[in-house]
Each structure stands twice: as C-alpha cells, then as structure tokens.
Amino acid sequence: MIIAIDGPAGSGKSTVAKLVAQRLGFAYLDTGAMYRAVAWRAVQDGLDLSEPLAASALERIRVIAAEEAIDFGYLPGEPVASQVFIGGQDVSVQIRTPEADRAVSPVSADPGVRQALTSQQRNIGRSRDTVMEGRDIGTVVFPDAELKVFLTASAEERAQRRAIQNAARQGTSFSEQEYERILADIQRRDNYDSSREVAPLAAATDSVELDTTGTTIERVVQQIVDLAGQKQGHKQLGQQRGAE
Ligand code: DC
C-alpha cells in the first residue's frame, strides 16, 4: 500500500509522514531529500544554478540525478530512515542548509531530473508498503496510491514552525528576523513549486485535504492512520469477495 502525502514546504509533512509510517510499520520515503541531495551535489561540483540554467549545468544535474546513488539510512534509535547519502556520502545535515534551500528549486524544476528521481521513487515504493512524502506523489509518482493526503497550513504558521525547529536544531532561541527570512523563503518556494511547468504542487482530485493550522500533529496522524485502516479494510474485503 502507498500512502502519498503531498503539500507545501513546512506543512508538517515530514513529521506526520514519519509518525504514520512508524505507527503502521510502513517504510518512509522523503522525496524532497532526494531533490535536495542532487542540488547539494550540483553545488559541490561548482555549478552555477542561477536561472536560466546553462545547458552545461542542466546536462550535469541530469547526470547526477540519473547516476549518483541516493540511499537512506537509520539514525541510532530512529524507527524510520532519515539519514540521506549521495554517492556514499552522508549529506543529512548539508541538505537542510539555506544554501540547499536555494539550490533545490531550479534543480527540482528540471524535467530530466524529475524523470530520473520519479523512476527511483516508483521502484522504492513498489518494493514494500510505504508512506511517501513530496509535492507530486499523488499526482505523478503514484497516481494509483491507495490513500492520498494533501497537507496545508498558513504560510505564517509554517514559517513559525520552521523557525522554532531550526532554533532547536542550532541550540539558539527563536528570532523574529529569522522568522521573516523563513516566511519570505516559504512564499518564494510556494510560488515556484506551484507555477513550474512539470509536476507543479497541486492536490490530486481524489486526495483528502487536511489543514494542519492550529491543530496537533497527533490529531492529523490519527486521522491518516484511520483513513489507511479504512482503505486497507476495503482492500481486504475486495480480495475476499474476489476469492469467493
Ligand atoms: O519537502 P522539501 O522542502 O524538502 O523539498 C525540497 C524541494 O524539492 C522543494 O523546493 C520542492 C521540491 N520537491 C519536488 O519538487 N517534488 C517532490 N516530490 C519533493 C520535493
């Protein structure tokens, strides 16, 4: 079974998707991390990612996406895989920097990169029950996913969550200036992700839309787990009827 969780940056996808996977005993795949890993490698290679991208830069990022192995690993004590490797190098921390935030948009807008990563994502999802999070999982990667969820939240709430998360990660306190920077970045990425030509961020027509503004993570996780239980129930019933 595939559970597709799509939505804009900061809507709570990662936190929710990991908990749902853990609760159901499913694998977890963060497809954004794959785009980030490719972008990070492109920056390391010294590519100029300012738009429009030069043909030579496009060619190189497509080669990276098609040929550099992206792998996931488990951090000690973590029930789902969230460590990210590209070409065998652990880039879990590097792909979350503001530099990677900036580099990932042009990289993820390229059809060649999307095709290469979509194909890897399909292979991973076909191998076992998976909760997959991204922007286009329910629309492009797995249009037949048994359950599709589209998570939303106001841009202000999303920026606030991310500012708190970053401060906790860096051991600093919440800063208004940092919040404003993140809010501007989230709005920029929302525009970018929704207006790009290939696989723009959009809710699949058959997705369940959940607004996480002002609600608890636990409530959202429980809603998805319940929906998954209903879908699984329907599937088993269908299989039983087929066997009768
Ligand atoms: O979810 P995230 O913020 O880590 O995603 C990083 C970038 O990758 C974001 O700008 C959108 C893009 N992305 C995408 O285009 N398609 C996906 N399936 C996942 C992420």
Side-chain angles (χ1 to χ4, degrees):
M1 178 179 199
I2 298 285
I3 301 181
I5 303 190
D6 289 305
S11 55
K13 288 189 310 284
S14 298
T15 312
V16 167
K18 280 182 191 171
L19 286 167
V20 170
Q22 188 180 343
R23 205 71 70 77
L24 295 173
F26 282 23
Y28 158 72
L29 183 67
D30 173 2
T31 61
M34 299 174 78
Y35 288 97
R36 285 172 179 275
V38 171
W40 179 83
R41 166 69 69 209
V43 171
Q44 294 309 299
D45 285 1
L47 297 184
D48 177 4
L49 296 177
S50 43
E51 293 181 278
L53 294 189
S56 56
L58 269 179
E59 200 181 319
R60 177 68 195 134
I61 55 172
R62 288 177 184 167
V63 169
I64 295 173
E67 293 180 4
E68 292 264 359
I70 301 174
D71 297 301
F72 290 86
Y74 291 79
L75 288 169
E78 269 207 357
V80 293
S82 65
Q83 210 177 7
V84 187
F85 299 83
I86 185 161
Q89 185 174 356
D90 181 356
V91 292
S92 315
V93 174
Q94 293 90 324
I95 62 168
R96 307 286 167 201
T97 56
E99 191 184 21
D101 280 350
R102 279 189 298 276
V104 73
S105 289
V107 167
S108 65
D110 178 60
V113 170
R114 299 205 71 84
Q115 199 180 21
L117 295 190
T118 296
S119 140
Q120 292 184 37
Q121 291 155 15
R122 288 188 179 135
N123 287 339
I124 295 170
R126 282 193 196 112
S127 67
R128 59 172 290 198
D129 290 334
T130 305
V131 179
M132 201 172 287
E133 63 144 305
R135 301 292 190 289
D136 61 340
I137 310 305
T139 49
V140 176
V141 183
F142 279 105
D144 299 333
E146 286 88 343
L147 175 59
K148 301 180 187 180
V149 176
F150 194 79
L151 285 188
T152 58
S154 71
E156 290 74 15
E157 169 127 350
R158 289 185 280 135
Q160 191 169 354
R161 286 181 193 158
R162 193 138 285 184
I164 293 171
Q165 222 173 43
N166 287 358
R169 197 182 293 147
Q170 291 153 9
T172 54
S173 52
F174 178 89
S175 116
E176 196 61 38
Q177 206 182 353
E178 183 62 359
Y179 163 79
E180 293 296 340
R181 183 193 69 74
I182 294 171
L183 179 60
D185 185 59
I186 280 186
Q187 287 166 335
R188 177 188 65 78
R189 282 207 284 154
D190 280 359
N191 281 337
Y192 201 103
D193 292 345
S194 318
S195 60
R196 68 166 175 241
E197 275 179 34
V198 189
L201 170 68
T205 45
D206 51 352
S207 65
V208 180
E209 226 169 299
L210 299 177
D211 188 339
T212 67
T213 314
T215 145
T216 63
I217 292 292
E218 178 45 38
R219 215 178 119 77
V220 178
V221 169
Q222 194 55 53
Q223 274 176 293
I224 299 175
V225 168
D226 289 346
L227 286 167
Q230 287 166 20
K231 297 279 177 189
Q232 235 159 4
H234 285 305
K235 202 170 152 186
Q236 276 160 7
L237 202 65
Q239 278 163 354
Q240 265 170 18
R241 292 229 169 100
E244 276 168 16

